[in-house]
Structures are given as structure tokens and as C-alpha cells.
Amino acid sequence: EAEQGYENKPRILLMGMRRSGKSSIQKVVFQKMSPNETLFLESTTKIVKSEIASSSLISYSIWDLPGQVGYESNPAFDNEGLFAQTGALIFVIDAQDNYREAIAKLHTTVLRAYEINPEICFEVFIHKVDGLSDDAKTVRQQDIVEHVLANIADAELEDQIQISFYLTSIYDHSIFEAFSKVIQKLIPQLPTLEQLLDILISNCCIEKAFLFDVVPKIYIADDSSPVDMQTYELCSDMIDVVIDVGCIYGMGENDDTGLGYDAESASVMHLNNGMVLYMKEVTRYLALVALLREDKYEKHGLIDYNVEAFKNAVAKVFEPRQ
Ligand code: GDP
């Protein structure tokens, strides 16, 4: 059963102070909410807010860190199982706010989580940077990174703890880009997937190819040529279009995911700059999106053949080990 390969889904935990933007990130990335609508999201008081995106390659949960509650006195925080299963802990810091308290919470969280699970990757999203000038962005980023690293060094853990920083905003693609980087670290099959994409693009004269996790529209792998933002945005917009059309007109009775996305999903768009955008379903969660020159697409029998071979290879990659 193809489903089995996904059983041990890597888990991502999204944490941060209340109002730092966690629910907005979730809605925008996983539920296609438009960023402006997040202004009206209601704040909840629960600690663990939700488990989301079960139909994705990765599973996620969101955790609020209310300012007034200390970890020690909070039984929910002693949920060792949660940290033990977590591959990456994303900590969201609101860069437009006073972030001293957030940095302190981040530090306690890092120590606690590391104690339970030393393998965890810590990912700090310096968030809401859309409201800041370029200079202010740099200054805040330096300040936050310096403080966080100094705290870790004080605890003498600087050589053990894996921590990365990203500037993010829900108003542009930076949040998707950051998520992609985080997820790529958690996919042990990544080098194989990259290799398969490289083979595919060289056999088919493709300019750029991405493998997208369709639900959160995050790319989990790309070929080794450099990514330019415009190509990435184009490819990710294409997934929206295909899924929107699929949801409206294409829902067959076999659509058990309700996604409007199935084994038949495929699309080809000829752009007015002589390029072709090509999308094809690869697995239940994954889609290949490629950009190539129109004259290379003329021999598309060859491309279809190679994509089929690619699809079979990816299916093998995710097959459960015997
Ligand atoms: P949570 O309590 O951490 O889940 O925070 P929310 O998701 O409820 O967000 C709090 C507020 O921050 C909302 O009004 C959002 O519209 C706003 N917000 C979230 N992300 C961004 C962002 O990237 N930029 C800006 N300017 N505002 C954001």
C-alpha cells in the first residue's frame, strides 16, 4: 500500500508567543487563506491549538506560549512525547513587537526540548518583517540572532544545538520558502529525490523542476540548478490553478482527499514568453512542476515517458523498507 511509506511522518511543532502569527502562518500556508483575512483571526487560549495538514507528507502541530504561564507550572508543557517525536521546532518571533520576552521563552524552550530530544532542529522565524525597512530588518535580525546564540553559548550548548534563522512574512513567498527549507532537512530521501530530478531535467532539457507537497504548496526538493524566485512563484501559482479547477470541476467519486487532486491530475500551460509550465501528479501528496522551453516540449512523448519513469522511481523511494 502506497500509504504505508508515510507512516512515520516527520513532525513539525510551531511555537511562539500569543499573537506572534502562528495561526496566520498555518492558515496561509495550509489553508490558502489570503494574508489580509488573518487580521480577523480570533485568538485562542488553548496551549496546543491544532494538529494540521494530515494529508501532507509532514504532520504539524501548533503550540501557543502564553506570556504569563511558566513552563515549570504548566503540566501540558511536560509532554515529553511531543518533543520526542518532533523533527523540527519552529519558533515564531514577532519582529514588529518587543521581542525580549520571546527570546527568553525561546531559550527556555530550546533547553527543555533539547534535553528531551537532542536531534531536534530549531528553526527561528523572525516574522512580520513586511512592516520593516531593509535596514530595520537587518538590525533586528542581527540583534535577535546575537541574543539567542549568546544564550545558547552561556548554556555551553553552542556546539550541540542546531539552530537556523529565517526572515518571514505571510504577505510574500518568504514564509513558503522558509517552510520548504525546514521540511527539506526532515526528509531523509532528499538526496535521492534531488538526484532523480537532476536526471529528469537533463533527459528532457527542462530548465527547472520542483517536487511540491501539494497541500501546503511547499517544495520538498528541486534539481540542483539555482532557484529564482520568479520561477518558484510561477510554479507554485500553477498548483493553485490546477487545484482550484480540480476542486470546482474535477471532483470525482474517487477523490477521497477532497483536494481535487488525484492520479489523473496533470496540466500543461504555454506561456507568452516561449516557455511551457508542466505539472504532473507524482504521488498522492506530491506533484512535479517543471518549466521548459516550448521547442523542447514539441517532443513531449519523450517527456511524458521520462516523467512516468521519474514517478515510478519516486514511488520506490517512499516504499516501506522490508
Ligand atoms: P497567534 O496567536 O500566534 O496564532 O497569532 P495570529 O496568527 O492570531 O496573528 C496575530 C496577528 O498578527 C494577526 O492580526 C495577523 O494578521 C498578524 N500577522 C501574522 N503574520 C503576519 C505577517 O507576516 N505580517 C504582518 N504584518 N502581520 C502578521
Side-chain angles (χ1 to χ4, degrees):
E1 247 262 77
E3 193 57 18
Q4 280 175 328
Y6 299 106
E7 242 171 32
N8 294 319
K9 286 185 189 183
R11 288 182 68 95
I12 292 185
L13 191 57
L14 202 58
M15 295 179 93
M17 308 293 283
R18 184 161 297 158
R19 307 297 291 163
S20 59
K22 300 177 296 302
S23 314
S24 310
I25 292 174
Q26 177 209 331
K27 298 275 189 216
V28 169
V29 175
F30 300 96
Q31 290 160 25
K32 298 215 299 177
M33 184 183 265
S34 82
N36 288 320
E37 289 175 77
T38 65
L39 289 170
F40 311 109
L41 281 181
E42 275 177 40
S43 206
T44 54
T45 47
K46 276 189 261 152
I47 291 175
V48 177
K49 282 193 170 173
S50 49
E51 296 271 336
I52 40 174
S54 58
S55 63
S56 155
L57 193 65
I58 317 273
S59 82
Y60 305 83
S61 27
I62 295 193
W63 204 342
D64 236 346
L65 294 176
Q68 64 279 20
V69 184
Y71 299 98
E72 307 71 25
S73 59
N74 187 340
F77 198 77
D78 279 323
N79 193 339
E80 302 206 350
L82 196 53
F83 282 142
Q85 293 162 24
T86 296
L89 192 162
I90 298 176
F91 197 98
V92 183
I93 295 183
D94 181 345
Q96 291 189 18
D97 198 19
N98 180 343
Y99 44 78
R100 294 275 163 257
E101 195 185 2
I103 289 178
K105 287 275 181 193
L106 166 61
H107 187 59
T108 341
T109 308
V110 166
L111 292 188
R112 183 89 180 97
Y114 176 79
E115 189 183 33
I116 294 164
N117 177 4
E119 300 296 315
I120 231 169
C121 295
F122 296 99
E123 315 284 357
V124 182
F125 285 7
I126 301 171
H127 190 56
K128 305 194 192 177
V129 290
D130 49 275
L132 303 175
S133 69
D134 284 346
D135 284 348
K137 264 185 220 175
T138 319
V139 170
R140 302 244 162 128
Q141 181 181 21
Q142 276 172 356
D143 189 41
I144 292 173
V145 172
E146 234 166 65
H147 272 89
V148 172
L149 294 182
N151 284 345
I152 293 176
D154 284 346
E156 295 184 351
L157 286 171
E158 67 273 31
D159 296 329
Q160 286 97 307
I161 284 179
Q162 320 169 49
I163 188 161
S164 315
F165 299 85
Y166 309 80
L167 292 170
T168 58
S169 160
I170 53 170
Y171 288 95
D172 56 36
H173 278 77
S174 60
I175 191 68
F176 294 95
E177 182 79 13
F179 253 105
S180 301
K181 299 261 163 61
V182 169
I183 287 173
Q184 288 176 10
K185 288 191 204 167
L186 300 183
I187 298 179
Q189 300 90 342
L190 182 68
T192 318
L193 295 175
E194 286 175 339
Q195 230 171 2
L196 290 172
L197 283 162
D198 277 340
I199 296 169
L200 179 73
I201 68 159
S202 76
N203 285 346
C204 301
C205 299
I206 289 172
E207 307 279 319
K208 184 75 206 168
F210 296 96
L211 196 56
F212 275 89
D213 192 349
V214 176
V215 177
K217 232 177 44 168
I218 284 167
Y219 70 96
I220 63 156
D222 64 334
D223 66 86
S224 49
S225 70
V227 185
D228 85 81
M229 223 33 193
Q230 228 182 342
T231 308
Y232 164 70
E233 287 175 20
L234 203 59
C235 292
S236 96
D237 287 347
M238 180 169 194
I239 293 192
D240 275 344
V241 173
V242 173
I243 296 225
D244 284 351
V245 174
C247 281
I248 299 170
Y249 301 106
M251 290 255 269
E253 52 221 40
N254 299 330
D255 185 17
D256 50 353
T257 53
L259 275 180
Y261 181 76
D262 62 21
E264 303 294 310
S265 294
S267 173
V268 176
M269 291 181 196
H270 291 258
L271 310 179
N272 59 12
N273 61 357
M275 303 296 284
V276 167
L277 257 180
Y278 179 101
M279 186 202 122
K280 178 88 185 83
E281 185 260 8
V282 173
T283 73
R284 202 183 151 128
Y285 303 131
L286 301 177
L288 170 78
V289 186
L291 188 69
L292 69 162
R293 299 218 331 248
E294 209 155 34
D295 54 317
K296 305 292 182 198
Y297 189 70
E298 279 164 15
K299 305 173 280 185
H300 71 87
L302 179 70
I303 293 177
D304 295 339
Y305 176 81
N306 278 299
V307 169
E308 198 54 35
F310 172 78
K311 190 174 149 154
N312 292 334
V314 172
K316 286 224 175 67
V317 170
F318 287 108
E319 248 168 33
R321 297 258 158 80
Q322 300 307 322

